[in-house]
Amino acid sequence: SGDIRSPNYPSNYPNNADCRYRINAGSSTRTITLTFSAFNLEGHSYCKYDFVDIRVGFKGNAATPVRKYCGSSTPAPITITGQQYVYIQFSTDGSVQRSGFRIQYTISGISQTPGSTGLIKSPNYPSNYPKNTECKYRVNSGTSSNSIAFNFLAFNLEPNTQCRFDYLQVFNGPTTILGSIGKYCGSTNPSTITRTTSYMSMKFKTDGSVTRSGFNVRYSITGASSSSYKGCGLDGLANCKGEMCNQLRNCHLTNMFFFVKSSGDIRSPNYPSNYPNNADCRYRINAGSSTRTITLTFSAFNLESHSYCKFDYLEVFNGPTTTTGSIGKYCGSTSPNIITQITSDMSMKFKTDGSITHSGFNVRYSISVKDYTHAGSYFPSSGVITSPSYPANYHNNAENNYTCSNLGLTGPAGYTSPFYSSPNHPSNNPHNLDCYYRINAQSSSNVIKVTFQPFNLEKHSRCNFDYVAIYEGANNSSRLIGKLCGTNSSFSVKGRGQFMYMHYHTDSSVPSTGFRFKFSLNLGGAPGSTGLIKSPNFPSNYPKNIECKYRVNSGVTSNSIAFLFLAFNLEPNPQCRYDYLQVFNGPTTTSRLIGKYCGVTYPNSITQTTSDMSMKFKTDGSITHSGFNIRYS
């Protein structure tokens, strides 16, 4: 329901006004009723001067006329059936002014049985909703044993911490008086709301200032059920024997399948027959170690199609739960590309609504027992990322699922990488992108420093849209260091430990140019710490034309750092012009120089009372040798 008033009502409306209103019932199966509580316009036998023109249809002249009103007689209520839209035009000329009108409208017919579903949209959606509006909605499930669910497909209202200006309020009951579930505003989609009840209601209210695009809410009604996970495949375990069956029974209590074999198949309920309505199934694959690889290969895939996969979908996550680390959300009849992650756990969520069903999916998972170690290796300075199915044609709607997978970035202590770019940089990044980077410092005592230069992502106060999430650890279940968005010319993020993990995500709206970044691996530790610094490939020959920088941090200036040369073999030159190692007393290679070394004579041990010591190793394009091995303490 809602209220439409002429400008300035109950004061006189202005001259030369032209106002348009559109009521959207959400479906042509519903009934729209207009009730005139006040009406006072300039009169004319043909309503030529000031008038209210009511039509059915989406827009203007394309809509079918119902009736044109003017004068001071209050029209009788109008009931319209079989139409989704009512279009109202209020027009005035340049002369007489009156107090205008007030029309109250109601929409009825959102009363359904289990399996029913539909959309409730704010007025004018996806265009901006009007000012000073109050709309009320009610969904009837038919009986108190049924359930009603509201799934927010889009949500964009004027933000306020107390939702004082524009808001949508949801109630458990037939009216918007008692039983408030929540009051919502801003641009963050509320979580799905489900209640076992005969009625749920909503009130949408706006003030006289800022307007936004509003909301699109999908409601669905389900019958009584003992478990939302029933039908996911666990019901047939009564005759199952063995440890795997015991694990599955235990996980039934937590509503998740658990897979630990090295390979197997995961299928949608009833596959290859159609999956059920209103299913909510969770699956978890455990590799046993974060250094192993899990691969998903889709041998069959057929779900209800939607451009944003809002109805039926399979979502894959890099982690043990389905709350963080989304890799991709899939629907339709095109099989997703093979998904490979270096991780201890992957999980999946299969969700269906109350309407269309299809044959579902069959996914083969496999776990590689080969550890992911690249000690002493380097991430290449260039590589290739191809579109899905390249060189064959890419799929329709491929933009919805663009995943870079894990990009392993590894180097020895002291290594500083070249700059790497996000996809398409400096052009705009793709929409719906997910890239994952893991940096391996090869020691838990090292410090990883990531420098972004530049950084340009869509800005948001909580970085809900496009962002880079950085974790101090091997995956996104580690400690979150920061979630980054917005624009900055250059900045750095540090983390201590063997790994740093980054997740780069973009949504489907505002494009931006992304970023360039490089990383450096610095040695660090407390008193008593010790370790080795080796030239690349040691004891084999180091490469040509490289520059490596190393930094050791003692923690405070009152501690001491010592370098003991266990091996040393560089190209000789009296001035060390070709290949050399420089040692500095300070955190950078612009600090005070202690010495420059080359040849085959071991330098003497170097000890400094300082918080930081640094080294630079540089080679030219000709002769190479076995390099060096230095113990720091």
Side-chain angles (χ1 to χ4, degrees), residues 24 26 84-85 119-126 137 215-217:
N24 181 2
Q84 181 174 347
Y85 298 98
L119 298 175
I120 303 174
K121 302 178 183 180
S122 55
N124 301 334
Y125 181 85
Y137 312 85
F215 57 83
N216 185 8
V217 181

Side-chain angles (χ1 to χ4, degrees), residues 337-371:
N337 292 327
I338 294 173
I339 299 172
T340 300
Q341 297 287 298
I342 302 164
T343 183
S344 60
D345 291 275
M346 285 177 68
S347 51
M348 301 193 301
K349 176 169 69 175
F350 177 49
K351 194 91 182 281
T352 71
D353 65 2
S355 58
I356 300 169
T357 66
H358 289 282
S359 57
F361 60 84
N362 187 9
V363 182
R364 171 156 285 271
Y365 74 90
S366 60
I367 300 172
S368 170
V369 297
K370 182 178 180 180
D371 284 350

Side-chain angles (χ1 to χ4, degrees), residues 445 496 524-531 552-554 560 562 631-633:
S445 65
R496 182 178 293 274
S529 299
T530 187
V552 178
N553 175 254
S554 70
S560 295
R631 177 173 291 280
Y632 75 87
S633 58

Side-chain angles (χ1 to χ4, degrees), residues 245-323:
C245 302
N246 292 334
Q247 291 174 350
L248 289 174
R249 288 192 188 95
N250 292 336
C251 289
H252 192 194
L253 301 177
T254 59
N255 297 323
M256 178 177 281
F257 290 88
F258 194 80
F259 298 90
V260 294
K261 289 183 178 179
S262 59
S263 65
D265 288 321
I266 302 173
R267 302 182 178 96
S268 54
N270 302 332
Y271 180 85
S273 299
N274 283 13
Y275 51 76
N277 290 323
N278 303 303
D280 188 349
C281 304
R282 314 294 171 97
Y283 312 85
R284 176 182 169 192
I285 304 163
N286 178 252
S289 169
S290 61
T291 61
R292 293 179 179 170
T293 300
I294 302 174
T295 300
L296 303 181
T297 304
F298 294 80
S299 59
F301 197 84
N302 185 16
L303 274 62
E304 181 181 4
S305 181
H306 182 266
S307 55
Y308 300 109
C309 296
K310 294 293 186 182
F311 306 144
D312 302 346
Y313 62 85
L314 179 70
E315 190 166 8
V316 181
F317 298 82
N318 185 5
T321 68
T322 58
T323 56

